[in-house]
């Protein structure tokens, strides 16, 4: 049942029922009825308007440093001792840091993921996509996420970072376990234990790899981190944590971008046909897919001072969720926001965030999508959805676990 915008009640159940697969009618209603909404279920403010989300992303009062306060102030000594391995990794993730700590790490990594640095990877991405399609050429049915959208960024980011090809598959389970903690998952009681186990195993693996690279440096991200000249020098724990973030973020976002984007094109056959006939539109198409059904549902922040927004006072110490999925369909910014239009110009979406925490790997993710999506359309023009997909029940990311597809007419 499709919810009518004027009948949706702000009932705080953002992921309930059909909203997991299609949250957009709910978000549209929230924009109209209560764009700055205190959600009792999650104990946090939810901000839905494009202008408000953008303002918050620019405002240092909305802090990204939300791991250390929980560990320091909201855990008992016993809990802190039990969760120490998790904290040791996450406290160094750039996404959980504010300047100047964030600036120090970002300065090292930004040149490695700039358009200039990413562009030479185009031939390798072309090759990986071609090989992935070739492996599916004789299959009538397959899972688009597991068999195509996941392997491509997983292979690319592993090679970019410096992970041996034979070890790539180890990261799938680790990443899935970490996903449930970092992006928040409902209904999974053991997610903290699973995530910590994944982090412990990943940390041990990366520690050994970094030790080897110190002895035998190469031309990869880990080697650059090991040799980085920065004050104070990077510790091994900072390098391990940063690599864990890159491994996790480097494939999760791009997998969702490719899968969500392809799904929406299949649901909008006129847009699929337009991109098939005019593949030169792919850059604008990727931007529209990021807007229309991007891989990031929302960003989380912790207020460090009081802020007034739309007549409400958001207090220091309260959690805030900046709902990108809602902001990217704001009728005050986008004409016909509920329509997919790969020719849309301009397109002021914030699918990759904004400001100092703008997604570091956005250029690489865009390039992989620019290559992969037209290649699918060209190789499989008769592709169609084949049954219901399953979705991750995560708060912050929007992505599918499975997406069954079929080659039409076969």
């Amino acid at each position: 049942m499709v919810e009518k915008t004027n009948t949706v009640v702000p009932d705080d159940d953002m992921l309930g029922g059909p909203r997991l697969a299609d949250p957009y009618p709910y978000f549209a209603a929230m924009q109209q009825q209560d764009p700055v909404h205190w959600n009792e279920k999650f104990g946090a403010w939810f901000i839905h308007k494009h202008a408000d989300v953008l303002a918050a992303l620019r405002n240092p009062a909305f802090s990204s440093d939300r791991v250390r306060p929980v560990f320091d102030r909201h855990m008992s000594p016993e809990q802190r001792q039990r969760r120490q391995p998790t904290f040791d990794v996450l406290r160094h993730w750039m996404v959980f840091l504010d300047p100047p700590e964030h600036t120090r790490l970002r300065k090292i990594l930004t040149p490695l993921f700039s358009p200039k640095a990413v562009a030479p990877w185009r031939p390798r991405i072309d090759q990986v996509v071609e090989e992935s399609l070739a492996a599916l050429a004789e299959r009538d049915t397959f899972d688009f996420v597991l068999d195509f959208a996941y392997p491509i960024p997983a292979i690319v980011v592993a090679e970019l970072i410096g992970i041996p090809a034979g070890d790539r598959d180890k990261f799938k389970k680790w990443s899935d376990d970490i996903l449930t903690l970092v992006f928040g998952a409902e209904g999974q009681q053991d997610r903290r234990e699973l995530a910590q186990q994944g982090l412990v195993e990943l940390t041990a693996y990366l520690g050994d790899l970094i030790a080897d690279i110190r002895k035998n440096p190469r031309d990869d991200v880990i080697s650059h981190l090991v040799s980085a000249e920065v004050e104070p020098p990077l510790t091994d724990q900072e390098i391990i944590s940063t690599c864990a973030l890159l491994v996790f973020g480097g494939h999760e976002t791009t997998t969702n971008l490719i899968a969500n984007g392809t799904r929406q094109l299949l649901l909008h056959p006129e847009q699929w046909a337009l991109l098939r006939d005019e593949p030169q539109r792919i850059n604008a198409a990727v931007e529209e897919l990021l807007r229309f059904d991007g891989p990031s549902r929302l960003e989380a922040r912790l207020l460090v001072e009081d802020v007034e927004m739309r007549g409400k006072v958001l207090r220091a110490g309260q959690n805030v969720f900046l709902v990108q999925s809602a902001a990217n369909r704001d009728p005050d910014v986008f004409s016909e926001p509920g329509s997919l239009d790969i020719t849309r110009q301009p397109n002021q979406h914030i699918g990759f965030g904004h400001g100092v925490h703008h997604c570091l790997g956005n250029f690489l993710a865009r390039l992989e999508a620019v290559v992969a999506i037209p290649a699918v359309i060209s190789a499989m023009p008769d592709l169609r959805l084949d049954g219901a997909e399953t979705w991750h029940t995560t708060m912050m990311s929007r992505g599918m676990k499975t997406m069954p597809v079929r080659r039409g007419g076969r």
Side-chain angles (χ1 to χ4, degrees), residues 16-46:
R19 293 175 190 167
L20 182 62
D22 183 14
Y24 297 104
Y26 175 74
F27 289 152
M30 297 305 291
Q31 281 188 337
Q32 290 182 10
Q33 299 177 35
D34 198 7
V36 178
H37 172 70
W38 176 256
N39 187 308
E40 289 288 349
K41 178 178 180 178
F42 294 101
W45 292 99
F46 281 70

Side-chain angles (χ1 to χ4, degrees), residues 163-374:
I163 296 167
D167 292 343
R168 284 195 299 259
D169 291 341
K170 296 178 181 179
F171 289 86
K172 175 60 175 168
K173 183 178 186 304
W174 292 338
S175 293
D176 285 348
D177 290 344
I178 297 168
L179 172 75
T180 64
L181 177 66
V182 174
F183 286 159
E186 290 195 299
Q188 188 165 338
Q189 299 301 318
D190 60 347
R191 64 188 179 97
R192 291 179 176 83
E193 288 73 19
L194 287 172
Q196 179 153 294
Q197 182 61 33
L199 284 169
V200 167
E201 293 175 7
L202 176 58
T203 295
Y205 173 89
L206 289 171
D208 292 341
L209 182 59
I210 290 167
D212 179 68
I213 287 177
R214 285 194 185 280
K215 299 174 184 176
N216 305 288
R218 307 187 293 260
D219 185 20
D220 53 41
V221 170
I222 295 179
S223 298
H224 282 280
L225 289 172
V226 167
S227 62
E229 296 182 0
V230 62
E231 289 298 331
L234 292 178
T235 65
D236 276 5
Q237 183 60 64
E238 285 180 313
I239 297 173
I240 289 171
S241 295
T242 299
C243 290
L245 172 61
L246 294 175
V247 168
F248 172 72
H251 78 264
E252 184 66 33
T253 297
T254 309
T255 295
N256 293 346
L257 171 57
I258 294 171
N260 293 4
T262 302
R263 175 177 176 267
Q264 288 298 340
L265 289 170
L266 290 170
L267 291 172
H268 296 81
E270 76 289 350
Q271 299 295 301
W272 174 282
L274 178 58
L275 192 54
R276 178 198 63 207
D277 297 340
E278 301 180 34
Q280 69 274 15
R281 294 187 181 275
I282 184 56
N283 289 299
V286 167
E287 299 308 309
E288 175 67 349
L289 294 170
L290 281 163
R291 181 197 73 83
F292 191 75
D293 197 16
S296 179
R297 191 192 312 269
L298 54 84
E299 293 193 37
R301 295 292 189 268
L302 177 66
L303 282 165
V304 293
E305 60 184 73
D306 293 355
V307 173
E308 184 174 346
M309 185 173 283
R310 296 190 184 268
K312 299 181 180 181
V313 179
L314 288 59
R315 300 293 184 186
Q318 292 180 324
N319 291 306
V320 181
F321 290 118
L322 311 175
V323 189
Q324 293 158 283
S325 290
N328 283 334
R329 294 199 185 191
D330 189 338
D332 290 345
V333 178
F334 305 98
S335 61
E336 299 184 29
S339 297
L340 181 69
D341 177 9
I342 65 169
T343 70
R344 187 182 297 273
Q345 293 288 349
N347 194 336
Q348 298 171 304
H349 73 80
I350 46 178
F352 280 128
H354 181 81
V356 297
H357 282 283
H358 186 249
C359 177
L360 177 73
N362 76 92
F363 298 114
L364 180 61
R366 283 182 163 104
L367 179 58
E368 291 176 272
V370 160
V371 173
I373 292 174

